[in-house]
Amino acid sequence: MAEETPKRGGKRATPPGHVKVFKTAVFKIHNPSKRRRAVLLDSMKRAHLAYGKLLTRFMPDDEEIQRLKTFKTFDRRKELSALRLRVNKEARQAHLANNSADAIAQDVIDQISGTAGLQNEQEDVGLPGVARLNASQPEYEAALQGLMSSADLMSENDFRDELLQVTKSGSVRPLNFVRTRAAAGFLLLRDPNDGRLWAWLNLHPASSRFARTVAVPDPNEGRELINVKTGEFISFKSKVGERFALEMSRDYHEVDYLEQGEPQTARLYHRQERDEFELHITFQFVVPKQETTHWIGVDRGIYNLAALSVVDGDGNVLHQERVSGMDLRHVQRQIERRTAGLQKRGKVVRDKKRLAHANEAVHVAANAIVAAAKKHNARVVLEDLRNLGAVRRRTRIPGTRRSGFNVLLNRSQYEKLKQFLEYKLKLEGLPQPLFIRAAGTSQTCPECGHWSHKNRIKRQGHDGGFKMDAFKCVECGHAADADENAARVIAMKGAWLTQLPKKNWATMPDELKFEAYLKEAARRRV
């Protein structure tokens, strides 16, 4: 697909009616020699230390972060651009490969910009740090003893943070490769005869103790290599990098990536628990752009991870579906209880199991939504739930626990589902989700437009609590599942929003408001 895209000015231009999308594939570096392992670790550790030094030097303090957040978009970009020049100059002076210097400077700027943005979304966001590469046993025992003997919750939290930092020591940061050039980045290489794959990585400067002349391809092997990105045969010599064999599979790498995509950037990881190296390569795909004629509303929740409803412009329901979240909720509650018990005994818990279950469940929900959107040629409509984070943005009293509502927000995968949908929709050429105000979507009747909290039926559940899983309009008597009804209203709100001639809410006449749209759509359905 990407091979058919015409070149322009050294880059591939996007054909009309197509869009560029990106997806990352994971390649394992195959059995590197002792010397090559040393080269990889040395390069990653040098970049890790340089990143920490630059972040400490250039990271604004809390007061400067607050000032940066108040800038207008143009002024903030101008401020960050000036900071980028200073960081780049400092990074160039470090004993690093050209690729590492560029990537680290970009990471520092992204971290500063991201911290300012994150403080607008969550409470108690501190300044970022870098994990230590070495930690002694006495440091661990001292932090553990302090945690066990702490007299109040504040000191207990401080010692727990220190223990977590010591436990995480030794984890080196991933190393980014932002260019596809032999002298300052990486190359994905392939033997056209047997299909074997290699990566050329720019890892060290020419003055490094690891520098040696490497020929690509190696004349002793008697093979030819092509650059996967350009499809051209390649031959060069260099002292600033190494060539590494990559492991690949036919179904995953060959069919899904190499045959259709074009490599763009890469990231090198060291998996400390397995002592293995992985190269995560981001591929660019060019896919046909799809124009949508319907809308699919998605109601995100706890009991139902997602309820979806596909409607046309008149509000006729074309498809409805629910993706249960009960299994995920059960697993998460079990893990939370186990984690709380371990933390009371002073143990540090890395919650990878909970994250794995959440990712799997959210992927299932996102796949169901994308499949329905593709089948019915519909644009996804989501509620804008950013206001739900207002509780988390309030400053919590030191030493107090988070509220149950905050725990619920973190457990429910609202943001993660949105992120998964955004990139999965791109891969299908579908437009990005349309966001609408969440107010009233669960209490509005799609048949008559009546909005009332009495439309949600409150009944006794089997567990002794209350359930509000049914909807019945007190005005017209329309009854439906509460989540599916909310999804339908969300979809109709998206249809209404895209058909508005203007969006000046303050001066909008009554005949253009959403309630009037619902009544007119009901009249057309009769």
Side-chain angles (χ1 to χ4, degrees), residues 2-3 29 54 56 114 148 167 216-217 258 325 335 351 422 430 496:
E3 287 78 359
I29 294 182
L54 291 173
T56 301
M148 299 294 290
T167 306
V216 178
L258 296 174
I335 296 174
D351 213 352
E422 286 176 345
L430 291 165
W496 162 74

Side-chain angles (χ1 to χ4, degrees), residues 118-391:
L118 193 60
Q119 288 191 352
N120 280 328
E121 301 294 333
Q122 299 182 16
E123 66 171 51
D124 300 339
V125 176
L127 298 181
V130 183
R132 288 180 287 183
L133 292 180
N134 299 297
S136 62
Q137 184 66 21
E139 287 180 306
Y140 176 84
E141 293 176 353
L144 182 60
Q145 184 61 36
L147 178 63
M148 299 294 290
S149 60
S150 56
D152 54 72
L153 185 58
M154 290 185 64
S155 60
E156 179 182 335
N157 289 335
D158 291 338
F159 280 115
R160 183 174 285 114
D161 292 341
E162 183 178 348
L163 186 63
L164 184 61
Q165 186 178 18
V166 174
T167 306
K168 285 185 175 181
S169 61
S171 300
V172 65
R173 294 184 72 253
L175 180 60
N176 292 333
F177 297 86
V178 295
R179 292 190 178 94
T180 52
R181 297 207 308 264
F186 88 104
L187 292 175
L188 189 59
L189 308 172
R190 191 170 193 182
D191 187 329
N193 297 315
D194 60 17
R196 294 185 61 184
L197 208 63
W198 285 269
W200 166 265
L201 303 180
N202 171 230
L203 295 169
H204 48 72
S207 58
S208 170
R209 62 189 176 94
F210 292 108
R212 67 172 183 176
T213 302
V214 177
V216 178
D218 189 338
N220 297 322
E221 293 181 352
R223 68 169 74 241
E224 295 180 319
L225 295 177
I226 62 171
N227 184 344
V228 173
K229 182 172 183 178
T230 63
E232 299 173 349
F233 286 94
I234 194 166
S235 177
F236 65 90
K237 293 182 179 181
S238 176
K239 298 178 63 176
V240 296
E242 291 282 348
R243 189 189 64 164
F244 298 88
L246 301 179
E247 297 181 6
M248 58 173 287
S249 67
R250 167 68 185 173
D251 294 336
Y252 176 67
H253 295 107
E254 179 76 27
V255 176
D256 292 347
Y257 292 91
L258 296 174
E259 291 183 358
Q260 304 180 54
E262 180 182 288
Q264 298 294 311
T265 60
R267 178 173 289 189
L268 177 68
Y269 287 86
H270 178 231
R271 299 306 183 190
Q272 190 176 11
E273 63 278 6
R274 303 190 302 268
D275 194 22
E276 294 177 347
F277 294 92
E278 292 177 352
L279 193 63
H280 295 206
I281 302 178
T282 299
F283 285 78
Q284 175 185 283
F285 301 83
V286 179
V287 299
K289 185 177 181 181
Q290 296 191 28
E291 300 295 336
T292 56
T293 55
H294 299 129
W295 293 264
I296 176 170
V298 179
D299 181 59
R300 291 168 282 175
I302 304 297
Y303 297 102
N304 288 317
L305 192 58
L308 47 139
S309 180
V310 181
V311 304
D312 59 17
D314 293 335
N316 292 301
V317 177
L318 307 179
H319 173 76
Q320 285 188 324
E321 184 180 347
R322 282 177 286 174
V323 181
S324 176
M326 294 302 295
D327 290 342
L328 173 61
R329 184 170 181 264
H330 174 71
V331 170
Q332 287 179 328
R333 293 178 73 174
Q334 281 187 325
I335 296 174
E336 286 168 3
R337 285 194 291 267
R338 174 180 172 273
T339 301
L342 292 173
Q343 287 178 340
K344 286 182 180 179
R345 297 198 295 271
K347 294 186 177 182
V348 177
V349 182
R350 296 181 180 180
D351 213 352
K352 295 182 179 179
K353 187 175 180 181
R354 175 182 170 183
L355 179 62
H357 278 285
N359 284 341
E360 181 179 359
V362 176
H363 271 296
V364 170
N367 289 339
I369 295 168
V370 173
K374 185 177 181 180
K375 179 180 178 180
H376 297 280
N377 198 27
R379 182 173 185 181
V380 174
V381 185
L382 300 175
E383 295 172 300
D384 188 349
L385 299 178
R386 287 177 298 180
N387 289 336
L388 289 180
V391 176

Side-chain angles (χ1 to χ4, degrees), residues 2 43 69 74 76 99 101 113 163 182 190 201 219 226 238 253 290 298 326 357 410 420 455 467 476-477 501 513:
S43 178
K69 290 194 301 183
F74 175 78
R76 183 163 57 250
N99 165 77
S113 178
L163 186 63
R190 191 170 193 182
L201 303 180
I226 62 171
S238 176
H253 295 107
Q290 296 191 28
V298 179
M326 294 302 295
H357 278 285
N410 287 336
F420 285 4
N455 289 344
K467 286 189 174 181
C476 70
K513 291 184 178 179

